[in-house]
């Protein structure tokens, strides 16, 4: 009965505890950290896509006012060990990622020399005066051409631009396709994107010469990985190297790589004995932060006359840019495309071949959704194309092929095992929520008036909260399958929870505090969540891959339960009651059915300060602190269906998104406000990918989208209000029952919008196989049809 | 993206400002919404900025007592956008202002700055052509039609300051239309078309040519709107750029001309 009275923290619509700080301008970001005697870096970056560096003349720059030094690769030789991303995948070739370009540059924007000056202004003045003599080499821009044997090589030592090649295969796909009565297919193209976090990347390194220790303040999403790697690169012990991610203004995967600038500030802070800061401006961000989604896919789907899928075949070329980034490597995105292509469907015969190809572009890295926005776009287009051919409703086509409840665990065609999750339930919930039948009637009425209105569905399933069984980067010395939490009650009764994750917009200070509060019976305001600091826990990697709620949340539960046991042990003595008769809620421990109670503060005082309240043996036995790791072992499956309604203007070819409905299965919800927010933000980025955003390189390797006038992200005006439904399918083998939901919005939206546009222009029989579908592209497609 | 070093001067009279501009390589600073980004990209590196924002008497919208308006060059976009007088007299200008940038930028940017910057995809220069404005400077008065010489290029001399925009009255019963297409709200126009219809039609295309352009051949074909829209397509010489090809922009000019003329004709009739 008292149990009922206990307020539930997990699942509560709690306002984010971060908000007052962020919204009143009291956040503390890299650029808010000002250390005396800091030197500021401006880079001289390559303006060639591929060239040999014949000479660097920095004499004039070095003599400019306020300039402390100009540094090139030669000046830092011997000051650090290099690292390269490796992989246990066959046919994988790692590349060196030089901190400063050595003998050649492989993309525009590659850093060649760093000016250290008293201010960023003076550093930029000097950087302009560095003269680099280049011997131009042929650029490789088109990834298909780059994969050809006679293409100019970016990394001669590898002997090919193909950095990774892999094939997933199941069944007899060629025979199945040949015999199938219905086949659809096409050439699909998703263009390059970049995450565009609100805060650009930035790094500030502070070397303490007295102690021989280094602190790096970094916008990183992965302070643990950065610390562990820098320890090797800089040959410092881990207890003398601290990586702190303070408040960070978004990352979306773009801050999960170890960056050259990040390493360089550390090397230079140690070399010069002064703090060294580099803060990316937007121009640098657009040309040097990792880019993504650049994939070319030939794909074909076969089914029988009833729409049952018989086979799926795909050949994928991923444009991975000039280098294999650390630690995820050039494999991360392209391999995901083929491993997730079969989607939430029964596909018995499958072959997906992928090549990741180096080009003269900024390196590819993780971006929200990683590969799955493309695989979902392709598969969901194929499903709709087949439905059209069979005159079947797209909803019905999906119903017939989606893995059904009784089929779990289902091993996908690429070998992923899907545990029970609400695949079909999401499909039905989204369609019910949108009133699909009514939408189709409204669409028919609009068509009568000559309006081009379309409805698009997109279903997918993703792996989130990966445990140790499935590595994010196979073969890297990085364990992505566990996270740690330390929960501690101090002598004032305040609770601090330490994590290895690094919240940078996800609201984890709130959700993790909710979990700890619920498990301990403490109040939310009693809990301080510390994260984004490599000193917080012995091991942690960070926040990426939709993992923090699942892994850090799981670790929080384990540690909080351990502390609660200790609390109860002490309380049992103090309240003279059996642990079984007690409970804790609202910051108090109480004996059920009585008015005997004790606050956390009183309990802490009794344990730590008032030494006569507990017998010595008990005091020595009680530890109001616990550190645990959590390993979900397998990942959690997060399925969803998105439904978009768009209208295409038949004259201007502008596309407006009129309605947007999402139904996902994110397991047990920690905070519905935050769950909705994650979906809203992800969908917004997916709409950008579908309609607006595209990094453009010209044939010579010049990047044409180097400002936000030209790289166009959606604004609030372009994003519709969304209707979001969450299913909470139970996860028996997972301690918290949470599924990851950070990336799903971006995975579903491009496909849903592509399908909606295809539906809107269905009467013209136009394939929508390229994203972003800009007005210019639609104009061309329609004009070609009319000719 | 830090500008090169420059000196800064904030004169309190036009005479002082003109004198300061005599110096080589000086640049006028108004709202800074176009100039400052160019400085940050180091596309321009003037040695002196002459801020005309402290000069009194350049920020006003006044009745010229003949049915037209006089607008001071330093009048902010937001003031123009929210002026009742302007909305009554020149509703087409009021309508076009809704498409200029975002509120934060409209709070700083000035009508004079926009006109002197001369972006061919900006709304205000095109509207000046449409409304047959006269632009008064520290040296002379120039017809809007003679003001634009190329993309980001005007008839102004280095030390010449635009001080006032004179909008002559629109004849009673003039109908108007303004149509714009941009990829996002607040962006520069991919293409826009403004039209007025009274005794005769006047049509201006924005974002489809080196400069804002009067579509005289199309005007001559009015009231045959379809023919005018077809002719409009051929009158402009747009460039290909990242956001749209020349072909697409020609198409848009035609579509938007038809819509602008239809609205204008309807307005004129009522
Ligand atoms: C993100 C963004 C979006 C925008 N979108 C749009 C849009 O959709 N449509 C649009 O029209 N504009 C847009 N703008 C530009 C905006 O309207 C600017 O305010 C305007 O172009 C310049 O006005 P300003 O007062 O800021 O001039 P400044 O930037 O100060 O000056 C611009 C130029 O004019 C010169 N100048 C200024 N005043 C005078 C004068 N009185 N006499 C002589 N020369 C002078 C300056 O020397 C400079 O060369 C946008 C700007 C931004 C940053």
């Amino acid at each position: 009965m008292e149990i009922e009275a206990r307020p539930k923290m997990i699942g509560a619509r709690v306002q984010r505890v971060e908000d007052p700080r962020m919204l009143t301008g009291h956040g503390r970001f890299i650029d808010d950290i000002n250390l005396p005697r800091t030197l500021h870096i401006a880079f001289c970056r390559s303006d060639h896509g591929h060239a040999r560096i014949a000479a660097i003349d920095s004499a004039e720059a070095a003599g400019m006012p306020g300039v402390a030094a100009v540094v090139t690769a030669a000046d830092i030789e011997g000051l650090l060990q290099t690292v390269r991303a490796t992989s246990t995948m066959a046919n994988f070739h790692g590349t060196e990622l030089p901190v400063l370009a050595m003998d050649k540059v492989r993309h525009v924007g590659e850093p060649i020399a760093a000016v250290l000056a008293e201010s960023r202004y003076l550093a930029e003045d000097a950087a302009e005066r560095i003269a680099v003599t280049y011997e131009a080499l042929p650029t490789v821009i088109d990834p298909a051409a780059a994969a050809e044997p006679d293409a100019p090589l970016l990394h001669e030592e590898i002997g090919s631009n193909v950095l990774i090649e892999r094939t997933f295969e199941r069944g007899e796909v060629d025979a199945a396709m040949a015999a199938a009565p219905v086949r659809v297919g096409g050439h699909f193209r998703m263009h390059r994107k970049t995450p565009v976090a609100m805060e650009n990347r930035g790094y500030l390194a502070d070397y303490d010469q007295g102690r021989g220790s280094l602190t790096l303040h970094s916008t990183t999403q992965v302070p643990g990985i950065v610390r562990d790697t820098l320890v090797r690169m800089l040959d410092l012990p881990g207890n003398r190297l601290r990586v702190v991610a303070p408040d960070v203004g978004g990352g979306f995967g773009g801050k999960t790589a170890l960056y050259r600038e990040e390493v360089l500030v550390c090397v230079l802070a140690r070399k010069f004995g002064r703090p060294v800061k580099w803060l990316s401006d937007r121009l640098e961000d657009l040309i040097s932060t990792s880019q993504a989604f650049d994939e070319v896919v030939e794909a074909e789907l076969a089914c029988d006359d009833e729409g049952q899928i018989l086979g799926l075949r795909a050949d994928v070329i991923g444009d991975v840019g000039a280098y294999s980034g650390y630690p995820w490597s050039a494999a991360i995105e392209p391999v995901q495309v083929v491993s997730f292509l079969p989607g939430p469907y029964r596909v018995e015969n499958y072959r997906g071949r992928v090549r990741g190809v180096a080009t003269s572009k900024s390196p590819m890295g993780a971006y929200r959704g990683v590969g799955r926005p493309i695989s979902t776009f392709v598969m969901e287009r194929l499903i709709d194309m087949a439905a059209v051919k069979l005159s079947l409703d797209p909803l019905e086509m999906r119903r017939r092929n989606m893995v059904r409840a009784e089929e779990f665990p289902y091993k996908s065609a690429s070998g992923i095992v899907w545990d029970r999750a609400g695949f079909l339930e999401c499909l039905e919930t989204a369609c019910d929520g949108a009133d699909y039948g009514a939408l189709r009637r409204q669409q028919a009425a609009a068509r009568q008036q000559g309006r081009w209105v379309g409805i698009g569905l997109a279903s997918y399933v993703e792996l989130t909260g990966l445990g140790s069984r499935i590595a994010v980067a196979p073969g890297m010395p990085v364990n992505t399958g566990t996270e740690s939490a330390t929960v501690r009650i101090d002598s004032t009764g305040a609770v601090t929870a330490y994590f290895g994750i690094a919240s940078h917009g996800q609201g984890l200070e709130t959700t993790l505090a909710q979990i700890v509060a619920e498990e301990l019976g403490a109040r939310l305001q009693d809990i301080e969540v510390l994260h984004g600091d490599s000193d917080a826990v012995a091991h942690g990697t960070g926040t990426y891959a939709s993992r923090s709620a699942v892994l850090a949340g799981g670790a929080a539960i384990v540690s909080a339960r351990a502390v609660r046991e200790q609390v109860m042990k002490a309380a049992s003595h103090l309240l003279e009651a059996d642990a079984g008769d007690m409970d804790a809620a609202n910051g108090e421990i109480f004996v059920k059915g009585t008015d005997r109670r004790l606050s956390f503060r009183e309990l802490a005082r009794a344990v730590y300060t008032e030494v006569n309240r507990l017998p010595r043996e008990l005091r020595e036995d009680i530890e109001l602190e616990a550190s645990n790791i959590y390993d979900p072992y397998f990942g959690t499956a997060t399925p969803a269906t998105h439904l978009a309604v768009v209208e295409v203007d038949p004259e201007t070819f502008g596309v407006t998104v009129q309605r947007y409905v999402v139904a996902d299965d994110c397991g047990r919800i920690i905070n519905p406000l935050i769950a909705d927010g994650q979906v809203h933000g992800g969908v917004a980025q997916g709409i950008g990918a579908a309609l607006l955003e595209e990094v453009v390189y010209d044939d010579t390797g010049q990047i044409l989208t180097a400002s936000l006038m030209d790289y166009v992200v959606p604004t609030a005006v372009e994003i519709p209000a969304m209707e979001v439904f969450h299913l909470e399918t139970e996860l028996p083998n997972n301690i918290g029952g949470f599924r990851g939901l950070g990336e799903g919005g971006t995975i579903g939206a491009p496909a849903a919008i592509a399908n909606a546009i295809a539906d809107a222009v269905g009467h013209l029989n136009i394939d929508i196989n390229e994203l972003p579908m800009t007005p210019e592209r639609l104009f061309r497609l329609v004009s070609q049809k009319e000719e | 993206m830090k500008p090169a070093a420059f000196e800064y001067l904030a004169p309190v009279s036009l005479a002082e400002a003109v004198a300061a501009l005599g110096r080589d390589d000086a640049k006028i600073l108004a709202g800074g919404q176009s100039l400052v980004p160019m400085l940050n990209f180091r596309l321009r590196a003037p040695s002196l900025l002459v801020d005309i924002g402290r000069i009194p008497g350049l920020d006003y919208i006044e009745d010229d007592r003949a049915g037209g308006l006089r607008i001071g060059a330093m009048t902010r976009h937001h003031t123009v956008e929210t002026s009742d007088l302007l909305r009554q007299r020149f509703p087409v200008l009021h309508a076009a202002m809704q498409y200029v940038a975002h509120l934060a930028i409209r709070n700083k940017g000035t009508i004079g700055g926009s006109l002197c910057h001369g972006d061919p995809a900006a709304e205000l220069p095109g509207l000046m052509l449409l409304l047959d404005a006269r632009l008064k400077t520290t040296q002379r008065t120039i017809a809007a039609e003679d003001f634009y010489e190329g993309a980001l290029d005007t008839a102004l001399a280095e030390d010449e300051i635009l001080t006032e925009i004179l909008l002559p009255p629109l004849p009673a019963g003039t109908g108007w239309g303004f149509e714009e297409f941009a990829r996002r709200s607040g962006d520069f126009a991919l293409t826009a078309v403004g039209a007025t219809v009274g005794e005769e039609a006047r049509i201006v295309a924005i974002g489809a040519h080196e400069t804002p352009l009067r579509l005289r051949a199309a005007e001559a074909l009015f009231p045959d709107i379809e023919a005018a829209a077809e002719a409009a397509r051929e009158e402009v010489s747009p460039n290909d750029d990242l956001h749209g090809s020349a072909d697409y922009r020609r198409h848009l000019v035609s579509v938007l001309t038809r819509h602008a003329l239809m609205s204008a004709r309807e307005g004129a009739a009522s």
Side-chain angles (χ1 to χ4, degrees), chain A residues 699-711:
Chain A
D699 294 340
T700 66
Q702 295 301 322
I703 179 164
L704 306 181
T705 45
S707 85
L708 292 179
M709 299 283 270
D710 291 324
Y711 187 81

Side-chain angles (χ1 to χ4, degrees), chain A residues 121 124-125 128 281 283 651-654 691-692 704 708-710 712-713 717-718 774-776 779-780, chain B residues 1-5 41-42 102 181 183-185 187-188 242-245 247-248 251-252 255-256 258-259:
Chain A
Y121 289 86
E124 287 194 19
D125 289 347
E128 274 193 331
D281 58 34
L283 169 66
E651 291 185 320
T652 62
F653 306 104
L691 298 176
L692 293 161
L704 306 181
L708 292 179
M709 299 283 270
D710 291 324
V712 284
V713 295
V717 180
E718 282 74 46
T774 59
E776 169 77 35
F779 163 72
R780 290 200 172 281
Chain B
M1 289 178 84
K2 303 287 185 205
F41 274 110
R42 298 196 178 212
H102 311 275
F181 186 74
R183 294 191 62 193
R184 294 176 299 185
S185 89
D187 276 354
F188 279 100
L242 274 181
H243 304 293
S245 64
D247 283 349
Y248 176 51
H251 166 81
L252 282 177
V255 165
L256 301 178
R258 176 153 43 79
H259 285 288

